[in-house]
Amino acid sequence: MTALADVITARGMKRIRLVSELKQAARRRGLVVASDESLLRMIREWSAGRRPLVGDYLTLFCDIFQMTPAELGALPEDEPAEDDEDDALALTRELVAATSADRSLVRLFEAGTENLRQLDRRLGAQALLPQTRAHVEQLESLLRHGVSPGTRQPIAAALTEAAALAGWQALDLGQYRVAWELHEIAKSAAREAENPVLLAHVTAQQAYVLIDLDQPTHAVELMTHAHAAAGQRLPALMRAWLHAAEAEAHSAVGNATATLLALDAAAAMLPSDSEDPDLPFLFLAAPHLARWRGNCLARLGLDEAITDLTRALDTMEDGFTRAEAGLRCDLALALSMRGENDEARRQAEQAKQLAALTGSARQRRRITKLLKAG
């Protein structure tokens, strides 16, 4: 352990609180610091001695703990650390590892992301988010130490998918700030990969954070921008997904006309083949779109939602536990708005049991609200 780690332990200060203290100390000095997510990672590295504590951050720690740099174990800036050579060797190893990350290694990471995606559909985010975030950190490390564009771009594309999955899991657990930051990582990686399809997807997906924070108007703006920025470079399956996502955002605003137009556009654009090997993160077939349509219509209080949702429930494949919880919650909402309170409560109770299996905070909030209303 470093002197900093000893001080943190002795003061009994949690890392989350330390991030808050750093930000307050920075504001007092008029300094700008990294995001919460980055600060947490940096604190781990400072505590483990993997990163030297110098400059403004050293000053901020001195302010927080009312200690001198020497008491925090910091060396004078002109005094070389004894382990400089070890640090150089460690960096060299990381650079070599990133440089040797060929297409076969990237495919292994992509397969890992797909495996986590499949497990997430069945088990939910609660059991998998720590594993997914560790997966993201490995890819981030490779990207940070990549040298040539030919090496970095495939890694960046793989990181985009992994960070987007982790961001969606965090959102499902109600960790809004974490979800937002992970989507920022995904967007940055998509830009480095120069992949407009990935960028459109993760940008639109990030808008769901805004919907959950009751800012649907901003969500509409972000989704439509993502769609428009990519233009005609998107495959049909992606454009159908984007139209459906926009419909959901419009329904959250309460704009029935825009919702129905977007749903019609999604149906018109949906290809007959629901899977695209270049889009492993998307699976949108006619039954899924019917479920999505039912969700939107239920939000708007339209009777037609019950027909769509019932049909979608009858054709739902096994194993999509979280999706079924959401579908039954939508159906409960539509039934309650039509006055069929007993059936609505039955559907809500079933949704509650399914949501408990996956640990979905998003669905639990919706279901609790429904049950209280009923």
Side-chain angles (χ1 to χ4, degrees):
M1 291 179 66
T2 63
L4 176 63
D6 290 335
V7 172
I8 294 172
T9 301
R11 300 289 177 93
M13 188 174 288
K14 300 290 186 183
R15 286 175 180 165
I16 293 293
R17 183 186 160 199
L18 188 52
V19 167
S20 177
E21 294 282 350
L22 281 169
K23 291 168 70 176
Q24 290 179 35
R27 281 195 293 271
R28 287 193 294 269
R29 285 187 173 268
L31 299 174
V32 177
V33 294
S35 67
D36 290 11
E37 187 76 11
S38 296
L39 284 173
L40 285 170
R41 183 166 53 248
M42 291 158 70
I43 290 169
R44 287 195 296 270
E45 292 174 350
W46 285 321
S47 299
R50 294 191 297 267
R51 185 186 190 117
L53 181 56
V54 295
D56 289 341
Y57 286 108
L58 174 58
T59 301
L60 296 177
F61 274 107
C62 289
D63 288 351
I64 292 169
F65 294 120
Q66 293 297 295
M67 298 175 72
T68 66
E71 288 172 325
L72 288 173
L75 294 170
E77 292 190 9
D78 59 350
E79 182 179 334
E82 293 180 1
D83 62 350
D84 274 354
E85 185 176 353
D86 291 341
D87 185 64
L89 288 172
L91 177 58
T92 300
R93 282 196 299 270
E94 290 166 337
L95 291 169
V96 169
T99 303
S100 62
D102 59 11
R103 186 58 198 164
S104 63
L105 179 61
V106 174
R107 279 197 293 267
L108 287 174
F109 274 106
E110 290 172 337
T113 301
E114 179 60 24
N115 183 52
L116 289 166
R117 189 179 290 121
Q118 295 295 332
L119 288 171
D120 174 66
R121 288 172 180 168
R122 293 177 177 270
L123 302 178
Q126 193 169 40
L128 292 172
L129 181 56
Q131 186 176 344
T132 310
R133 292 189 67 178
H135 185 59
V136 170
E137 287 179 3
Q138 285 183 306
L139 282 162
E140 277 190 291
S141 179
L142 280 178
L143 184 59
R144 279 198 306 272
H145 297 102
V147 178
S148 67
T151 300
R152 290 177 65 93
Q153 286 188 343
I155 296 172
L159 173 59
T160 302
E161 291 188 35
L165 174 60
W168 187 255
Q169 290 174 340
L171 178 60
D172 193 50
L173 296 176
Q175 299 178 16
Y176 303 115
R177 184 180 295 278
V178 173
W180 188 268
E181 293 295 338
L182 283 164
H183 280 94
E184 286 296 312
I185 291 171
K187 289 196 298 184
S188 178
R191 292 187 187 102
E192 172 136 9
E194 298 180 0
N195 191 317
V197 177
L198 289 177
L199 182 58
H201 175 248
V202 298
T203 303
Q205 184 174 283
Q206 187 181 38
Y208 277 90
V209 180
L210 298 171
I211 291 177
D212 280 19
L213 292 175
D214 295 323
Q215 297 184 38
T217 301
H218 292 313
V220 170
E221 292 174 358
L222 189 56
M223 285 183 179
T224 53
H225 167 74
H227 200 164
Q232 300 299 315
R233 293 175 291 177
L234 300 176
L237 184 63
M238 174 58 74
R239 294 187 67 189
W241 184 89
L242 284 168
H243 281 304
E246 289 165 13
E248 187 171 351
H250 284 304
S251 70
V253 173
N255 189 333
T257 300
T259 299
L260 295 172
L261 286 173
L263 287 169
D264 288 344
M269 189 61 63
L270 187 67
S272 56
D273 189 350
S274 60
E275 295 187 62
D276 185 331
D278 293 329
L279 306 173
F281 45 86
L282 280 191
F283 186 77
L284 183 61
H288 302 92
L289 186 56
R291 186 181 77 216
W292 216 335
R293 179 182 178 86
N295 169 277
C296 295
L297 299 186
R299 284 176 180 267
L300 294 170
L302 300 179
D303 283 349
E304 188 182 344
I306 296 175
T307 302
D308 288 329
L309 291 167
T310 302
R311 185 183 302 119
L313 188 61
D314 291 341
T315 58
M316 172 164 278
E317 303 165 30
D318 293 334
F320 287 77
T321 308
R322 182 170 56 203
E324 184 179 348
L327 176 54
R328 290 188 182 277
C329 187
D330 292 334
L331 184 55
L333 174 61
L335 289 165
S336 66
M337 296 185 79
R338 200 164 74 175
E340 298 182 29
N341 295 325
D342 289 343
E343 180 60 17
R345 177 167 287 276
R346 189 179 75 82
Q347 292 293 341
E349 289 291 351
Q350 286 185 263
K352 183 179 180 180
Q353 294 173 13
L354 291 167
L357 292 176
T358 64
S360 174
R362 294 184 80 218
Q363 298 300 346
R364 285 202 304 270
R365 282 194 302 275
R366 294 184 65 215
I367 294 161
T368 300
K369 185 177 179 180
L370 266 174
L371 289 172
K372 284 182 178 178

